[in-house]
Amino acid sequence: MAAAESPVGWAGTGGPPPGRVIALGMAGEGKKTKPERVQTDESLRTERARADRELAIKQVAIKQDADQVIDRARLSADAVLATARAREDQHIEQGAAPVAASATAVVEERALEDEVLRVERATADEVLRQEREESISALSSLLPMEREKTDRHLLTERVRSDDALSNRDDFLGIVSHDLRNLLGAIVMSSSLLSKRAPEGDEGRTTRAETDRIHRYAARMNRLVGDLLDIASIDTGKLAVARVPGDAAALVAEAVETFRGSASAKGIGLEMEPSERPLTAEFDHDRLFQVLANVIANAIKFTPRGGSIRVRVERAEGGLLFCVSDTGLGIADDMLENIFKRFWQVGENDRRGVGLGLYIVRSIVEAHGGRAWAESELGQGSRFYFTLPDPAAAKG
């Protein structure tokens, strides 16, 4: 699903073995480690532990195979030797062997051969043991070196990435400030034009055009806010200031804000009755941003004549919000993709840039909640998010 576009001029504010994997978080003091990097490090540790287990199993299997080959070879050699000795014993019994080859001499000779064979096999076993130890030692030293090299390379790339992100953030800060100043001037100028427009058809045309300018400026302002939010999320600096508030009143405010936009498309937008007040701790502006993104998305993908219903209710451990619509619905295999940034419903979909729901999930998770969607094709969609109750969590 594409990002939501608000119909009003509101915008959001802006190694070695597994146990020795080095901390590869963000470079620099005072920066929080990104969730993606924590996940990457954990995945790296898991993968290395799995590789170590598989390597150990493979080494045991190779050793067992080699021992079996040696044992079979020795059994074969022993069988050949036993056959040869049995034939020699038969010749002696039949008197075919020379008199000198007496039983005593044969026993002594065979004892000597057995001792020589034992010594040779013991020597061969010792050589094999040393070769195996050297091979394992070489592999054990090579593997940590390769892993340490990988860690150094990853850390270097992360430092470069942090520098690039820092430069990007500085650039976005400057550009967004200038863009918003220009957008403000454009809106102000268009407002003056609207006020000075004469009566009659010409004036109505002028006011209609200035209203269109306001809508376009609002969309541009919203896009700038979304880009700043993405930068904040990437650097772990998404600001959330939770204070006590009434969640039901917040939902009512969001529904009232978007009712006109929904009505213009022939869509009904209502809030389901709920308990008043529903007190919780949350960032009012950020949670309004979440509701705005989800409701605007529902308006965007609900056909004329449809309906959208918003509710909030107490749930185990906090509050549960739901925005349901009678739109086209979403395929099951796409329900998780819609929360990815820059994801669009289709290749040619230009109704947004695919940031709205990604920001929704990030803000909800910053509050300690979670966001998800349920849908059936042709049956509409339901977007849920939770808001935990700190008092319930402590209890």
Side-chain angles (χ1 to χ4, degrees):
M1 185 171 289
E5 296 293 348
S6 173
V8 295
W10 175 89
T13 57
R20 296 178 53 217
V21 176
I22 61 175
L24 295 172
M26 292 183 64
E29 295 294 332
K31 291 187 178 181
K32 295 181 180 179
T33 302
K34 295 182 181 180
E36 295 87 350
R37 294 187 175 180
V38 173
Q39 184 177 359
T40 298
D41 292 340
E42 183 60 30
S43 298
L44 186 60
R45 278 188 284 267
T46 301
E47 181 62 24
R48 288 179 174 178
R50 184 187 64 80
D52 288 339
R53 289 193 300 269
E54 291 183 354
L55 180 60
I57 293 172
K58 187 172 291 186
Q59 286 177 338
V60 171
I62 292 173
K63 180 179 180 296
Q64 290 175 344
D65 290 343
D67 289 341
Q68 289 177 0
V69 171
I70 293 173
D71 289 342
R72 284 196 297 269
R74 289 181 175 178
L75 287 173
S76 178
D78 290 340
V80 171
L81 181 59
T83 301
R85 288 180 173 179
R87 289 176 182 174
E88 186 178 4
D89 291 340
Q90 186 178 7
H91 290 169
I92 294 174
E93 292 175 357
Q94 295 174 352
V99 178
S102 62
T104 302
V106 170
V107 170
E108 292 177 352
E109 182 179 350
R110 289 179 179 177
L112 180 59
E113 291 173 353
D114 290 339
E115 179 62 20
V116 170
L117 184 60
R118 186 191 65 77
V119 172
E120 288 180 350
R121 287 184 174 178
T123 303
D125 288 340
E126 179 62 21
V127 171
L128 181 61
R129 184 189 64 78
Q130 292 179 359
E131 289 178 350
R132 285 178 175 173
E133 289 181 354
E134 291 174 359
S135 175
I136 293 174
S137 177
L139 183 60
S140 299
S141 60
L142 179 62
L143 191 58
M145 289 174 59
E146 289 298 322
R147 290 180 174 178
E148 186 176 357
K149 181 179 178 181
T150 300
D151 290 340
R152 287 198 304 268
H153 178 71
L154 183 57
L155 183 58
T156 300
E157 290 301 315
R158 287 183 173 178
V159 170
R160 291 176 182 173
S161 174
D162 290 339
D163 290 340
L165 286 175
S166 178
N167 293 333
R168 184 202 66 179
D169 293 345
D170 292 342
F171 175 77
L172 279 176
I174 295 171
V175 171
S176 62
H177 180 269
D178 292 344
L179 281 176
R180 280 179 162 165
N181 284 342
L182 292 172
L183 287 173
I186 291 172
V187 171
M188 184 179 297
S189 297
S190 64
S191 297
L192 291 175
L193 287 175
S194 179
K195 291 179 180 179
R196 294 174 181 174
E199 297 297 329
D201 293 341
E202 183 178 352
R204 284 193 293 273
T205 301
T206 299
R207 282 188 288 273
E209 293 299 329
T210 55
D211 288 343
R212 184 178 299 174
I213 291 173
H214 288 170
R215 290 197 300 272
Y216 290 160
R219 291 179 64 182
M220 291 178 65
N221 191 37
R222 175 60 182 278
L223 179 58
V224 171
D226 284 348
L227 292 174
L228 290 174
D229 284 340
I230 292 297
S232 298
I233 292 169
D234 284 346
T235 56
K237 297 179 180 178
L238 183 66
V240 172
R242 283 175 282 193
V243 296
D246 182 2
L250 175 66
V251 171
E253 177 187 355
V255 169
E256 188 62 30
T257 300
F258 283 87
R259 181 170 281 123
S261 176
S263 178
K265 285 191 61 179
I267 300 171
L269 173 60
E270 298 295 336
M271 174 183 175
E272 295 183 3
S274 65
E275 176 186 343
R276 297 285 186 97
L278 285 175
T279 306
E281 289 187 1
F282 55 88
D283 186 316
H284 177 278
D285 292 340
R286 286 298 189 186
L287 214 59
F288 184 91
Q289 184 180 0
V290 168
L291 289 166
N293 280 352
V294 177
I295 294 174
N297 247 23
I299 294 173
K300 187 187 307 178
F301 292 97
T302 300
R304 181 174 294 274
S307 64
I308 300 171
R309 299 184 69 82
V310 186
R311 75 173 188 269
V312 57
E313 59 190 11
R314 293 196 182 278
E316 183 178 355
L319 300 179
L320 174 66
F321 297 76
C322 176
V323 178
S324 60
D325 62 57
T326 57
L328 302 177
I330 307 167
D332 288 343
D333 58 347
M334 293 293 148
L335 288 176
E336 189 62 26
N337 289 337
I338 62 176
F339 291 98
K340 296 178 180 178
R341 60 180 176 179
F342 303 119
W343 190 86
Q344 300 282 2
V345 172
E347 293 182 0
N348 298 321
D349 194 333
R350 292 296 177 266
R351 292 173 291 182
V353 293
L355 295 176
L357 292 180
Y358 174 76
I359 294 173
V360 162
R361 174 168 282 182
S362 298
I363 293 175
V364 170
E365 290 179 349
H367 278 82
R370 67 186 189 96
W372 73 96
E374 297 176 358
S375 181
E376 299 86 28
L377 286 175
Q379 301 296 321
S381 304
R382 297 168 301 282
F383 289 84
Y384 297 93
F385 66 92
T386 61
L387 187 65
D389 183 359
K394 292 178 182 178

